[in-house]
Amino acid sequence: METKNQKLREWVAEVEAMCQPDRVEWVDGSTAEYDRLMQLMVDCGMATKLNEQKRPNSFAFRSDPSDVARVENNTYIACKNQEDAGPTNNWIDPVELKKTMTELYTGCMKGRTMYVIPFSMGPIGSPISKIGIEITDSPYVVVNMHIMTRAGDKVIEALGEDGEFIPCLHSIGAPLAEGQEDVPWPCAPIEEKYIAHFPEENLIWSYGSGYGGNALLGKKCLALRIASNMAREEGWMAEHMLILRLTNPEGHRFHIAAAFPSACGKTNLAMLQATVPGWKVECIGDDIAWMKIGDDGRLHAINPESGFFGVAPGTSDKSNPMAMRSLDENSIFTNCALTDDGDIWWEGMDVPCDHAIDWKNNEWTPESDNVAAHANARFTAPAAQCPVICEDWEDPAGVPIDVFVFGGRRTQTVPLVTQALDFDHGVFMGAMAASETTAAALDVGQKLRRDPFAMLPFCGYNMADYWTHWFAMGDKLGDKAPAVFYVNWFRTSKEGRWLWPGFGENSRVLKWMCERVEGKVGAKETPIGHMPQDGDLDLSGLDIAPEDVTELLTVDAGAFKEDLADGEAYLAKFGDKVPERLRAQLEAQKTRLG
Ligand code: GTP
Ligand code: SPV
Ligand code: MN
């Protein structure tokens, strides 16, 4: 659809002149367009159509082995002063970075089509939503954006003549010379990859990668890095959080927003099948929450996305049946294995597989040395296909949040669940969050790292200013602020066995949280917060050894003191930007630990 938006026309013309594509296509968002692009990718060998009987209208892709996850070392916050990006973000002066990237962008779309994708994060027309325009030379990005965002003509209409949009420029960085043959997954080498954000002009430039958050710019780039900065300026919140509705047997509703780092259980919790009788979970979002204070003084959350870009390995009918049903059809699979009957497979799917073609396009059997699906293999599925999607998931007003949960992957030290003593203590808990790293980022190694609020890779400004913003939001919310909890599903025994069964059984922990909010259930006060004491956590019908429960709910003061010392050293990196109230929390925790 032709746009009357002058600014948009000018920007597209500028990018076209710089990138020099063979042609330009405006994405209309139609099914016909989706089908045509898929066919184009099947024809050129980039996509494989799955067995129509097994998985209708679904397609598999294999990325280049070098392009399998987010690249944190190549991700930049380019603002004038380095201090505004802070010590946890990579920084390059914006003028210098634009110069470097302009050179890369010049002629980068030769031999390719440039797609212009108008998209809305959040329901079109909602006061919380934002419009972005992604320009890309990747048809894979276009079909994914069809699912993950509201994309196409309806956004051009909403934008009108003078509507605001966030420009998001993306190129895979692989121009084709005259007559040069293409490869299945073109991309640039790692040293040429740049995932750049210019928060002072709300601009995103991404170059060289076609994968996930590097390339689907509405997600981490816009909805978290740029939006977190806008949110601070405008007094709202953009968080790496799932959103769920929990209904108890009396029909009371609770809305929970939970922040866990990448590949630490958000999609699973968001669609949980409660094992405690009478409790029900409905999904509103599985990765990102945008939250504003409503007229009622409470915090209301929307999911800016319209699809799930979820971790495939480990997803099964047992662990996450609602995710499995969401991807029964109309889905995209990246870096999964292909079975002999034309379906997909991955480790932990809980169905046998004797032979497959692995994510690197090699023959695979259970005897092979390598995994069949990459650890960060992902599915892209429409949120509307989730059988437990909440009827209000697209309500432009959002849902009122009762509970915040923080957490991460900690095989040691951190107990199953702790409740913050008050909101400030909750901010301290979020700020001190740490997690063992996962395959969701390519370049972070395997280690335990501080990941405040699960936002380490996604906060678009100085993390210390982000903590200040959290305290400020707490002050505005006052006694309407959500209760705050910290969880750890990943504690292991000495032999490396999970101590907690996790998944659906996490409903027991959610139940305790809701009953705490209602003042119906007890807790003991420990140096690190309130914790369930004997009988408070509903373990009825659960086959778990009493010693394991004890270990899951014990605070090892020595280990926590060590953790706190590490946390204090971490805070030192931020110098005098660290909010006084955060330091006060740290001192108080120290005193409580003795
Ligand atoms: P991103 O999409 O990267 O932001 O990840 P996510 O936070 O949505 O993580 P996801 O729910 O996809 O889970 C990642 C991995 O953790 C999967 O392999 C899950 O099987 C596993 N996992 C999720 N919940 C639990 C749990 O309660 N216990 C255990 N042991 N593993 C879990
Ligand atoms: C994450 O890494 O937190 C994801 C996947 O949700 S990606 O979209 O690649 O960022
Ligand atoms: Mn995520």
Side-chain angles (χ1 to χ4, degrees), residues 85-90 452 455-457 459 461-464 570 573-574:
T88 55
N89 280 313
N90 297 311
M455 284 289 278
L456 176 69
C459 181
Y461 58 101
N462 192 309
M463 183 65 83
Y570 183 72
K573 286 195 196 183
F574 299 88

Side-chain angles (χ1 to χ4, degrees), residues 183-317:
V183 293
W185 185 280
C187 62
I190 188 76
E191 62 279 7
E192 282 179 14
K193 290 193 212 290
Y194 289 88
I195 319 298
H197 308 75
F198 303 90
E200 282 144 353
E201 43 184 321
N202 290 339
L203 172 68
I204 298 162
W205 276 12
S206 167
Y207 186 89
S209 166
Y211 203 92
N214 299 334
L216 311 176
L217 302 186
K219 197 173 176 61
K220 300 306 161 84
C221 297
L222 192 161
L224 287 178
R225 298 194 192 96
I226 291 294
S228 62
N229 191 60
M230 296 174 103
R232 172 187 52 157
E233 282 166 4
E234 298 166 4
W236 53 284
M237 307 171 97
E239 301 295 332
H240 192 202
M241 288 178 171
L242 68 91
I243 312 164
L244 65 82
R245 172 181 291 170
L246 186 60
T247 307
N248 75 8
E250 291 80 54
H252 295 169
R253 289 168 167 181
F254 303 86
H255 294 100
I256 300 182
F260 309 147
S262 303
C264 290
K266 289 184 300 301
T267 302
N268 277 269
L269 194 68
M271 305 171 190
L272 166 151
Q273 292 286 93
T275 54
V276 270
W279 290 70
K280 183 177 79 177
V281 167
E282 291 164 286
C283 174
I284 291 151
D286 81 326
D287 199 50
I288 299 175
W290 282 0
M291 296 174 282
K292 285 193 177 164
I293 299 178
D295 295 336
D296 57 359
R298 302 183 65 193
L299 199 56
H300 290 254
I302 67 158
N303 170 11
E305 303 188 280
S306 61
F308 309 125
F309 183 64
V311 178
T315 308
S316 71
D317 286 337

Side-chain angles (χ1 to χ4, degrees), residues 235-244 246 254-260 266 269 287-293 297-302 399-408 416-431 433 453-455 466-467 469-489 509-510 512-514 516-517 530:
W236 53 284
M237 307 171 97
E239 301 295 332
H240 192 202
M241 288 178 171
L242 68 91
I243 312 164
L244 65 82
L246 186 60
F254 303 86
H255 294 100
I256 300 182
F260 309 147
K266 289 184 300 301
L269 194 68
D287 199 50
I288 299 175
W290 282 0
M291 296 174 282
K292 285 193 177 164
I293 299 178
R298 302 183 65 193
L299 199 56
H300 290 254
I302 67 158
V399 295
I401 298 299
D402 301 284
V403 166
F404 276 139
V405 184
F406 302 119
L416 180 64
V417 59
T418 316
Q419 182 182 11
L421 300 169
D422 53 32
F423 193 82
D424 270 22
H425 185 232
V427 174
F428 170 73
M429 278 181 165
F453 294 81
M455 284 289 278
Y466 169 88
W467 297 329
H469 181 52
W470 263 86
F471 283 120
M473 291 300 292
D475 291 343
K476 277 190 209 161
L477 288 161
D479 62 3
K480 294 188 170 126
V484 183
F485 296 82
Y486 198 100
V487 300
N488 178 24
W489 316 137
V509 177
L510 300 186
W512 182 71
M513 291 174 184
C514 295
R516 287 293 296 161
V517 169
H530 300 293

Side-chain angles (χ1 to χ4, degrees), residues 1-6 8-9 26 156 159-161:
M1 179 189 247
E2 188 98 338
T3 179
K4 295 199 177 72
N5 192 297
Q6 199 52 32
L8 176 54
R9 291 166 75 120
W26 288 72
I156 291 294
L159 190 62
E161 266 176 53

Side-chain angles (χ1 to χ4, degrees), residues 70 72 261-264 375 408-411 434-451 456-457 490:
R70 287 183 294 101
E72 294 187 7
S262 303
C264 290
R409 206 175 263 273
R410 295 292 298 266
T411 48
S435 187
E436 282 135 36
T437 49
T438 65
L442 190 61
D443 47 12
V444 296
Q446 260 194 325
K447 56 172 192 254
L448 177 67
R449 69 170 181 180
R450 296 270 153 204
D451 189 347
L456 176 69
F490 298 94

Side-chain angles (χ1 to χ4, degrees), residues 348-364:
M349 193 191 248
D350 209 34
V351 291
C353 176
D354 295 331
H355 179 261
I357 304 296
D358 70 15
W359 73 277
K360 285 187 174 174
N361 206 12
N362 295 318
E363 300 278 329
W364 183 92

